[in-house]
């Protein structure tokens, strides 16, 4: 995606296409001659050339040609300097050889035609420098040839053809620009130490001035002021500095201007082909703290023939001033792909696909794609905004390119996607300026638009696209009926789904039609989608398959939930495909790595292994698995949910195989993985029964092997380790056993109850398997004791294992919430007296400060919470709510104890004045409505009462909730201390694994 397979081949291709090509036709950077660009007009366009002077017209014509069948005709001139011009890919310090051919239109008298460069040196006057000239007639083609270079930073460069006859019309053809070095590899840097703008210019009305007020490096930077819009700011031409298909790293340092407290800045590229602009993000806008220099950096691959190319800095909103310094553009030398490793597509029993854009078809990326994948999904090229931006005006350039590429190389194609609530233009849901409603007339209008769109796309690619995602992400499990309240649904109900499938089937009966969604591995989403598909199929809607996106992370959700989803939909008799697979290296939404640790990449490899074990077991139900991207150098997770380094795919930034690849292809080559397990202090009774102590935490899953899988836990007491294993093995055999190896000593406990002498153990039969409980000797080790849990299936000898270290920790904290319903008004009702009191005494910041006494009640589907805070000095001066005097309640309805938040986990914050804020899940707004709160200042502190609705579970006697509470103590605008009830890590805002447990009782 980011590098060129063969520069010679690319240059030849561009030449054959007749397009300007910023590519090298040599095989090394020090080759004598490098072709920078060629313009031959064989494609019937001007290839970026435009008129110079009022009344001048330029256009491609077949009336005459030096070679081929077309040239560029210039007419309408009224001055000698009038003619055809282009912004040339010239850079300071490079010597260029320019050759062109010219001929007068029949009937014109001989005259001199010249090639000239116009430029404006920074701080100087505009100059006009002749490159080549010749006497030209109408009888034949004359060659214009010369060299050109310049040594000063300059802007406004133009290469143009002019004539000594002010009105002569003429043709030019075969304009070729070469250089003695390869400018597409030499890079570009600006530091403003010369006191000039060094080629940077404003995109609109912005003012650019070199200043010594601040600097990232050296003593100068570029001050950017008077911006007209968020996109206005400094831009620099990089035309000729990038080769099509090559990868470049861009970096710029930015800082907010004076009196600018906050703002987001990013780095983007504008490219144009025949005057049509496109914009691509290199570094997504990110927050720039006041007074700090921040680097904007990213990689970019030029995937198109262009006649304009620039890099610019923009904000995501606002026109605030900022500074720019130390910009660099660096060519990234590509690594050859590994050809001596197995192809992924040959190692799996289903079609292996990848989501791609045009860049992934070029160079080494194209080689990687064709070696390892048998199918492709255009990531964005077939979505509504890309194919029908205006009603009835279809654009198929990108879709055609990718579909034709796939067909040419024998790749299957998934069409993604026909109807979606996102990336659909506003006009689709409007009638002029009026928003469509659910009236019969508006509904009919919207369905007609949908039908036209579906017929057009499916019809265009009939026989080429084998599978379509007909509707995408239509389920919302938080709605009573499980359906997303998109504009599609609000206006048409389910009819948009029915219409899209019907029309797609009518248009191409051979295509397989899918409904596609994310989070289908979560029980509530799974059930909602299942109910919808079952209903629609019963109506006769032609749904052929269900797509499971599977955007997962290295820890969650368990592979067993993925398997449960596949098994559930198999009962509907539909095909299933994994459509958008990636595995984030982060278990939460806020953590970041500067470099992803090797042990995390190893863990990711094992995660891919267990997922593909599931897929292979269900090869009859799964026809395709598609990873959402080709390699880590281009993944949507680099900017979602925040901008951060992520590495979710099988191949790294340099297209080399990672542990993730080996987890799919050959797990025996994975590096050793040692997991970590905490054993909270406890003394459960060893009787084979699952008592309350074991329910305080979820079981650690052991990946399924064959028909056997398991989950286990550990507790500690002094030198003893208590273990519990829940084994799922439907067939009892004499050889079935669980072996716990602690500190190198194995303890085998048989399904029939046999165990080593001197070991306290018990086994109980369970539905679909058995439970093992034991007390084992535990050595003492500061770094933890080695532990292996091996579950053997006696029928075939296969073994499911978990290997890691176990470390004793403090007991899981447990409290109780009786049934009761207070009034949430900040006044302590008598009903609170029935609730036991807990106290915050676990310091996560500081060692003293505000503390609280906390109680809990429940009624219906609501949890009620009370905090009596001792804090004599109260402050809300900070703009950050967590730095104000406040109480935070943490609630996990499923008691999942995960390192990240689930979508119903919540961090509910109430300040002493009653202000509320919510954090935790990916979309905190989705749970914000769950919170009702009141606060009242009292002598020596304040009282907080809160009601938290928990709609995703049924509250009942015995329900266990993950729970914690934190008190933030502020002085002025700073938080001086924070104390919790349970979690000592200080990570409660992103990690639920160390919260305590709240048990509901009648």
């Amino acid at each position: 995606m980011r590098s060129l397979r063969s520069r010679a081949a690319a240059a030849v291709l561009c030449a054959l296409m007749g397009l300007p090509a910023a590519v090298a036709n040599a095989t090394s950077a020090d080759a004598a001659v490098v072709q920078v660009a060629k313009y031959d007009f064989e494609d019937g366009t001007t290839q970026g050339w435009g008129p110079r002077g009022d009344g001048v017209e330029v256009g491609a014509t077949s009336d005459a040609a030096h070679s081929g069948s077309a040239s560029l005709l210039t007419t309408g001139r009224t001055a000698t300097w009038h003619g055809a011009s282009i912004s040339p890919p010239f850079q300071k310090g490079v010597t260029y050889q320019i050759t062109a051919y010219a001929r007068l239109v029949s009937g014109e008298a001989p005259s001199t035609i010249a090639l000239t460069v116009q430029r404006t040196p920074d701080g100087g006057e505009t100059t006009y420098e002749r490159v080549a000239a010749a006497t030209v007639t109408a009888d034949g083609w004359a060659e214009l040839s010369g060299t050109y270079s310049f040594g000063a930073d300059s802007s406004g460069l133009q290469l143009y053809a002019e004539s000594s006859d002010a009105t002569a019309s003429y043709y030019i053809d075969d304009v070729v620009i070469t250089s003695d070095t390869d400018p597409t590899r030499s890079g570009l840097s600006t530091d403003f130490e010369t006191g000039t703008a060094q080629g940077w210019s404003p995109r609109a009305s912005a003012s650019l001035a070199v200043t010594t007020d601040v600097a990232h490096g050296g003593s100068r930077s570029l001050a950017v002021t008077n911006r007209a819009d968020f996109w206005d700011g400094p831009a620099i031409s990089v035309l000729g500095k990038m080769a099509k298909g090559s990868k470049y790293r861009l970096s710029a340092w930015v800082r907010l201007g004076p009196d600018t407290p906050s703002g987001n800045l990013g780095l983007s590229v504008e490219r144009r082909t025949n005057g049509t602009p496109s914009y691509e993000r290199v570094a997504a806008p990110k927050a720039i703290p006041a007074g700090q220099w921040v680097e904007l950096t990213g990689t970019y691959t030029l995937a198109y023939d262009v006649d304009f190319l620039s890099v610019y800095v923009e904000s995501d909103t606002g026109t605030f001033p900022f500074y720019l310094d130390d910009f660099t553009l660096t060519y990234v030398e590509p690594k050859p792909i590994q050809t001596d490793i197995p192809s992924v597509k040959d190692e799996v029993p289903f079609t292996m696909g990848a989501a791609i854009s045009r860049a992934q078809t070029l160079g080494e990326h194209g080689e990687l794609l064709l070696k390892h994948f048998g199918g492709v999904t255009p990531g964005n090229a077939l979505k509504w905004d890309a194919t029908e931006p205006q009603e009835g005006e279809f654009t198929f350039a990108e879709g055609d390119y990718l579909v034709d590429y796939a067909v040419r190389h024998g790749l299957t194609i998934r069409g993604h996607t026909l109807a979606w609530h996102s990336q659909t233009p506003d006009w689709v849901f409007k009638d002029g300026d009026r928003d469509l409603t659910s009236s019969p007339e508006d509904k009919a209008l919207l369905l007609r638009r949908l039908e036209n769109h579906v017929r057009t796309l499916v019809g265009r690619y009939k026989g080429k696209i084998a599978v379509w995602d007909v509707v995408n992400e239509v389920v919302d499990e938080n709605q009573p009926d499980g359906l997303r309240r998109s504009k599609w649904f609000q206006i048409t109900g389910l009819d948009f789904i029915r219409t899209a499938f019907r029309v797609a089937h009518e248009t191409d009966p051979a295509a397989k039609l899918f409904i596609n969604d994310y989070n289908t591995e979560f029980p509530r989403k799974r059930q909602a989608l299942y109910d919808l598909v079952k209903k629609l199929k019963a109506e006769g809607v032609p749904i052929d398959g269900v797509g499971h996106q599977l955007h997962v992370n290295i820890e969650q959700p368990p592979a067993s939930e993925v398997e449960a989803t596949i098994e559930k939909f198999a009962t509907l008799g539909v095909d299933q495909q994994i459509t958008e697979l990636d595995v984030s290296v982060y278990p939460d939404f806020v953590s970041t790595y500067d470099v992803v640790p090797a042990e995390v990449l190893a863990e990711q490899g094992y995660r891919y292994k267990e997922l593909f074990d599931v897929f292979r077991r269900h090869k009859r139900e799964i026809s395709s698995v598609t990873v959402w991207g080709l390699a880590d150098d281009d993944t949507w997770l680099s900017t979602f949910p925040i901008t951060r380094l992520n590495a979710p795919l099988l191949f790294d930034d340099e297209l080399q195989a990672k542990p993730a690849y080996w987890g799919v292809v050959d797990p025996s080559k994975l590096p050793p993985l040692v997991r970590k397990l905490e054993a909270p202090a406890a003394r459960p009774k060893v009787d084979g029964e699952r008592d309350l102590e074991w329910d305080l935490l979820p079981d650690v899953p052991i990946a399924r092997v064959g028909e056997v899988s398991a989950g286990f836990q550990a507790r500690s007491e002094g030198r003893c380790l208590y273990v519990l294993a829940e084994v799922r093995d439907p067939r009892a055999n004499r050889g079935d056993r669980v072996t716990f190896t602690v500190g190198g000593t194995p303890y085998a406990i048989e399904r029939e109850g046999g165990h080593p002498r001197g070991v306290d153990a018990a086994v109980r039969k369970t539905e679909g398997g058995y439970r093992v409980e034991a007390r084992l000797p535990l050595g003492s080790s500061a770094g933890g004791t080695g532990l292996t849990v091996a579950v053997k299936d006696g029928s075939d000898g296969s073994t499911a294992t978990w290997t890691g270290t176990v470390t004793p920790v403090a007991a899981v904290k447990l409290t109780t919430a009786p049934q009761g319903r207070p009034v949430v008004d900040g006044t302590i009702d008598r009903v609170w007296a029935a609730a036991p009191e807990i106290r915050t005494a676990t310091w996560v910041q500081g060692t003293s400060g505000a503390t609280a006494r906390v109680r809990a009640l429940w009624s219906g589907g609501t949890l009620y919470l009370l905090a009596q805070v001792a804090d004599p000095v109260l402050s809300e001066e900070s703009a950050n709510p967590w730095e104000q005097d406040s109480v935070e309640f943490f609630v996990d309805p499923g008691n999942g104890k995960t390192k990240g938040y689930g979508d119903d986990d919540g961090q509910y914050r109430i300040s002493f004045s009653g202000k509320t804020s919510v954090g935790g899940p990916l979309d905190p707004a989705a749970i914000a409505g769950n919170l009702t709160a009141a606060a009242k200042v009292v002598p020596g502190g304040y009282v907080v009462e809160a009601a938290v609705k928990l709609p995703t579970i049924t509250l009942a006697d015995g329900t266990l909730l993950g729970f914690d509470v934190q008190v933030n103590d502020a002085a002025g605008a700073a938080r001086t201390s924070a104390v919790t009830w349970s979690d000592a890590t200080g990570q409660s805002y992103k990690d639920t694994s160390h919260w305590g447990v709240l048990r509901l009782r009648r």
Side-chain angles (χ1 to χ4, degrees):
M1 176 171 56
R2 298 295 194 200
S3 51
L4 193 65
R5 186 192 319 172
S6 167
R7 285 168 185 81
V12 170
L13 175 62
C14 290
L16 291 174
M17 294 173 63
L19 295 177
V23 299
N25 62 3
T27 57
S28 63
D30 58 356
V33 177
V34 176
Q35 180 173 294
V36 175
K38 179 175 181 178
Y39 310 90
D40 61 8
F41 314 107
E42 292 301 304
D43 63 346
T45 74
T46 66
Q47 298 178 353
W49 289 77
R52 176 181 169 86
D54 293 340
V56 177
E57 296 183 0
V58 298
T61 180
S62 58
D63 293 346
H66 173 255
S67 66
S69 59
S71 64
L72 188 73
L73 172 63
T74 302
T75 59
R77 301 174 59 251
T78 56
T80 58
W81 54 271
H82 284 182
S85 70
I86 194 168
S87 297
F90 292 166
Q91 296 294 327
K92 180 182 71 174
V94 178
T95 299
Y96 298 95
Q97 177 74 33
I98 305 167
T99 302
Y101 292 86
R103 179 176 179 169
L104 295 175
V105 171
S106 179
E108 298 281 5
S111 63
T112 298
I113 293 181
L115 294 177
T116 305
V117 171
Q118 172 186 322
R119 66 181 175 89
T120 304
D122 288 357
E125 298 293 326
T126 299
T127 64
Y128 304 89
E129 299 161 318
R130 178 158 291 185
V131 176
T135 300
V136 181
T137 71
D139 298 328
W141 291 89
E143 179 180 324
L144 312 176
S145 183
T147 60
Y148 180 74
S149 64
F150 63 98
D153 292 323
S154 301
S155 59
L157 272 79
Q158 289 185 38
L159 171 66
Y160 63 95
E162 58 184 339
S163 171
S164 59
D165 184 335
T167 62
S169 298
Y170 55 82
Y171 308 99
I172 60 172
D173 200 4
D174 293 339
V175 184
V176 178
I177 302 173
T178 61
S179 69
D180 55 358
T181 59
D182 186 349
T184 69
R185 295 192 180 191
S186 58
L188 179 66
S189 63
T190 63
D191 59 10
F192 310 109
E193 294 304 304
T194 61
T196 68
Q198 297 180 341
W200 290 85
S201 59
R203 302 192 76 218
S205 63
S207 298
L208 309 184
V210 176
T211 179
T212 58
D213 292 345
V214 293
H216 172 256
S219 59
R220 291 180 171 89
S221 65
L222 188 70
V224 183
T225 57
N226 300 320
R227 300 166 60 220
D229 210 332
F230 73 91
W231 48 264
D232 189 14
I236 188 168
S237 174
V238 292
L239 186 66
K241 297 301 293 182
M242 292 186 179
K244 182 180 175 183
S246 291
K247 180 178 179 179
Y248 298 86
R249 182 166 297 281
L250 289 82
S251 170
W253 290 86
V254 293
R255 175 176 170 145
L256 297 179
D259 303 319
T260 304
S262 63
N264 296 345
L265 292 171
L267 198 61
S268 298
V269 165
E270 178 183 358
R271 57 176 172 81
R272 301 178 196 164
T273 302
N274 295 322
T276 301
S278 295
Y279 309 93
E280 296 171 293
R281 184 157 282 169
V282 175
K286 64 180 178 179
I288 312 299
Q292 296 183 27
W293 286 97
V294 174
E295 184 182 22
L296 307 177
T297 184
T299 59
Y300 179 75
T301 294
L302 179 63
Y304 301 83
D305 299 300
V306 295
D307 46 57
F308 177 93
L309 190 66
S310 75
V311 177
Y312 61 98
V313 180
E314 63 178 341
S315 55
D316 57 357
T317 186
T319 58
F320 54 84
F322 62 87
Y323 299 99
L324 168 69
D325 202 3
D326 292 337
F327 167 80
T328 59
L329 179 153
T330 308
Y331 169 72
V332 178
E333 184 74 36
K335 274 189 178 181
I337 71 164
Q338 297 156 287
T339 58
D340 58 347
I341 59 176
S343 298
V344 179
K345 63 185 178 183
D346 296 335
E347 303 298 318
V348 295
F350 33 70
T351 299
M352 190 70 197
I356 63 167
S357 63
R358 184 186 291 245
Q360 279 83 35
T361 67
L362 304 175
E364 283 78 11
H365 288 81
E367 293 179 12
L368 188 75
L369 174 64
L370 296 179
K371 174 173 173 56
H372 289 288
F373 299 95
V376 294
T377 299
N380 288 293
L382 296 176
K383 291 175 180 174
W384 200 308
D385 60 348
T387 54
E388 194 182 3
Q390 301 296 328
E391 185 164 14
E393 298 178 7
F394 287 90
T395 57
F396 291 115
E398 286 306 292
D400 285 354
Y401 174 90
L402 294 176
V403 171
D404 291 346
Y405 174 89
V407 170
R408 190 165 64 250
H409 291 93
L411 304 172
T412 63
I413 311 163
R414 298 191 81 261
H416 180 77
T417 177
L418 296 174
W420 188 27
H421 65 274
S422 184
Q423 290 184 247
T424 301
D426 289 342
W427 68 261
V428 177
F429 305 108
K430 287 181 175 292
D431 182 9
D433 294 331
R434 181 182 65 84
D435 292 335
L436 297 183
T437 69
S438 58
S439 70
E441 295 78 14
D442 284 357
K443 176 178 178 180
L445 172 60
L446 182 56
L447 292 179
R448 283 197 303 273
R449 288 172 172 171
L450 175 63
E451 178 168 351
N452 181 61
H453 185 82
V454 172
R455 284 197 191 280
T456 302
L457 263 69
V458 176
R460 184 178 187 86
Y461 299 116
K462 182 177 180 179
K464 295 181 178 180
I465 292 184
V467 175
W468 281 98
D469 286 332
V470 178
V471 295
N472 193 49
E473 299 177 4
V474 299
V475 171
D476 180 355
E477 66 275 30
N478 295 311
Q479 297 294 337
D481 57 5
L483 296 169
R484 180 186 292 276
R485 292 323 193 241
S486 67
K487 291 181 180 179
W488 287 110
F489 182 82
Q490 291 172 21
I491 298 168
T492 76
L494 287 177
D495 282 347
F496 83 96
I497 301 177
R498 298 181 178 109
T499 298
F501 274 97
R502 173 182 58 80
V503 174
H505 181 68
E506 290 173 357
T507 308
D508 187 357
K512 298 296 183 183
L513 307 181
F514 276 64
I515 185 170
N516 188 53
D517 221 313
Y518 65 94
N519 281 2
T520 62
E521 63 277 13
F522 290 92
R524 292 190 301 124
K525 186 72 166 273
R526 174 197 305 151
Q527 188 64 49
L529 180 59
Y530 177 90
D531 292 343
L532 176 62
V533 174
K534 184 177 181 180
K535 171 183 172 64
L536 293 174
K537 283 186 67 66
E539 295 176 3
V541 177
I543 299 177
D544 297 307
V546 174
H548 309 292
Q549 292 185 13
L550 282 193
H551 296 295
V552 301
N553 66 52
I554 55 173
E555 293 194 0
Q556 293 293 326
S560 59
E561 293 292 351
V562 175
E563 191 151 26
T565 293
I566 295 168
E567 291 171 345
K568 186 174 186 68
F569 281 94
T571 64
L572 293 178
V574 292
D575 188 9
Q576 297 183 68
Q577 295 187 351
I578 309 304
T579 58
E580 303 180 21
L581 174 65
D582 46 31
V583 179
S584 171
V585 298
Y586 302 100
D588 59 61
F589 307 128
V590 295
S591 297
T592 61
Y593 294 121
D594 293 329
V595 177
V596 181
E599 59 268 24
V600 172
L601 294 177
E603 186 175 357
Q604 183 188 57
Y606 283 90
R607 184 79 158 120
Y608 267 104
K609 174 195 178 299
E610 66 178 12
L611 290 170
F612 273 79
D613 284 347
V614 171
F615 304 154
R616 287 182 170 100
R617 280 197 293 272
H618 294 279
K619 60 186 178 183
R620 290 185 177 85
E621 290 81 33
I622 295 175
S623 60
S624 173
V625 174
T626 295
V627 287
W628 202 242
L630 187 64
D632 288 341
D633 63 341
D634 190 5
T635 167
W636 74 297
L637 291 177
S638 64
T639 58
F640 179 88
I642 61 172
T643 298
R644 58 183 176 182
L645 174 67
N646 212 325
L649 299 167
L650 305 183
F651 301 94
D652 66 17
D653 281 352
E654 296 183 308
L655 313 189
Q656 306 302 295
K658 298 163 47 185
Y661 162 87
W662 292 111
V664 175
V665 170
D666 185 358
S668 69
K669 290 185 169 61
L670 285 171
L673 178 65
V674 178
R675 297 178 168 92
K676 296 179 181 179
L677 176 70
E678 293 180 345
R683 189 178 183 180
K685 185 178 180 180
V686 180
D687 57 4
E689 299 296 332
R690 189 178 179 104
D691 56 26
L692 173 63
E693 176 59 42
W694 296 116
D695 288 336
L696 299 181
L697 298 179
D699 293 343
V700 176
I702 301 176
R704 177 176 163 183
V705 175
E707 295 299 317
V708 175
S709 61
F712 80 101
Q713 292 190 52
R715 298 290 186 272
S716 62
E717 183 198 28
R719 296 292 183 90
C720 291
L721 182 71
Y722 294 85
V723 288
L724 175 90
E726 297 278 4
V727 180
R728 291 168 288 282
D729 182 356
R731 295 179 296 171
N733 293 277
R734 286 185 59 87
D736 293 346
R737 66 170 63 97
V738 179
T739 301
F740 300 97
T741 303
V742 183
T745 302
Y747 303 93
I749 302 169
E750 298 175 357
R751 183 173 190 159
E752 297 168 342
H755 57 271
R757 185 175 300 173
V759 169
D760 188 6
V763 179
R764 289 287 186 273
K765 181 180 179 180
T766 61
E767 184 178 355
Y770 60 104
R771 179 185 301 120
V772 173
E773 194 173 19
R775 183 177 63 226
L776 308 172
L778 174 66
S780 58
S781 174
T785 300
L787 172 66
T788 298
V789 184
V791 183
K792 183 176 181 180
D793 183 355
S795 65
D796 60 10
S798 62
T799 303
T801 61
W802 183 96
T803 299
T805 59
V806 60
T807 304
V809 295
V812 179
K813 289 194 174 181
L814 174 67
T815 190
T816 300
Q819 197 167 19
R821 185 175 182 178
V823 176
V824 179
D825 57 3
T827 299
I828 304 174
D829 301 342
R830 294 174 63 182
V831 69
W832 283 113
E837 183 178 273
I838 58 175
R839 295 176 180 251
T840 58
T842 303
W843 294 97
V844 295
Q845 179 184 347
T847 56
S848 64
T851 60
R853 294 175 291 135
V854 180
R855 301 172 188 263
L857 295 167
W858 69 280
S859 178
T862 302
L863 178 67
Y864 296 93
L865 300 164
L866 169 69
Q868 296 172 263
V869 182
D871 187 356
V873 180
L874 303 176
S875 172
E876 288 181 341
E877 289 185 29
S878 175
N880 299 320
W882 60 90
E883 293 178 329
Q884 301 171 359
D885 281 304
S886 58
V887 173
E888 298 178 9
F889 296 113
F890 300 91
V891 184
D892 174 3
N895 192 31
K897 296 291 186 285
T898 56
K899 289 188 178 179
Y901 274 62
D903 61 0
D904 62 350
D905 299 339
Q907 174 191 24
Y908 302 95
R909 184 184 298 108
I910 306 102
S911 76
F912 71 88
S913 69
K915 293 192 298 186
T916 62
S917 54
V918 177
L922 178 61
D923 181 16
I927 63 168
N930 293 347
L931 176 64
T932 301
K936 182 177 292 186
V937 176
V938 298
Y942 59 100
V943 174
V944 167
E945 265 190 309
V948 180
K949 296 178 182 177
L950 302 177
T952 61
I953 63 169
T954 299
L955 302 188
D957 184 46
T959 298
L960 300 178
L961 307 175
F963 177 74
D964 210 343
V965 59
Q966 177 172 310
V967 178
N968 300 311
D969 192 2
R975 188 175 75 176
T976 56
S977 71
V979 63
T980 69
W981 168 55
S982 176
D983 190 351
T985 67
Q987 306 296 305
S988 292
Y989 67 97
K990 65 178 181 179
D991 183 335
T992 76
S993 62
H994 291 90
W995 298 356
V997 176
L998 183 61
R999 187 185 189 196
L1000 308 188
R1001 301 307 301 265
R1002 279 200 167 88

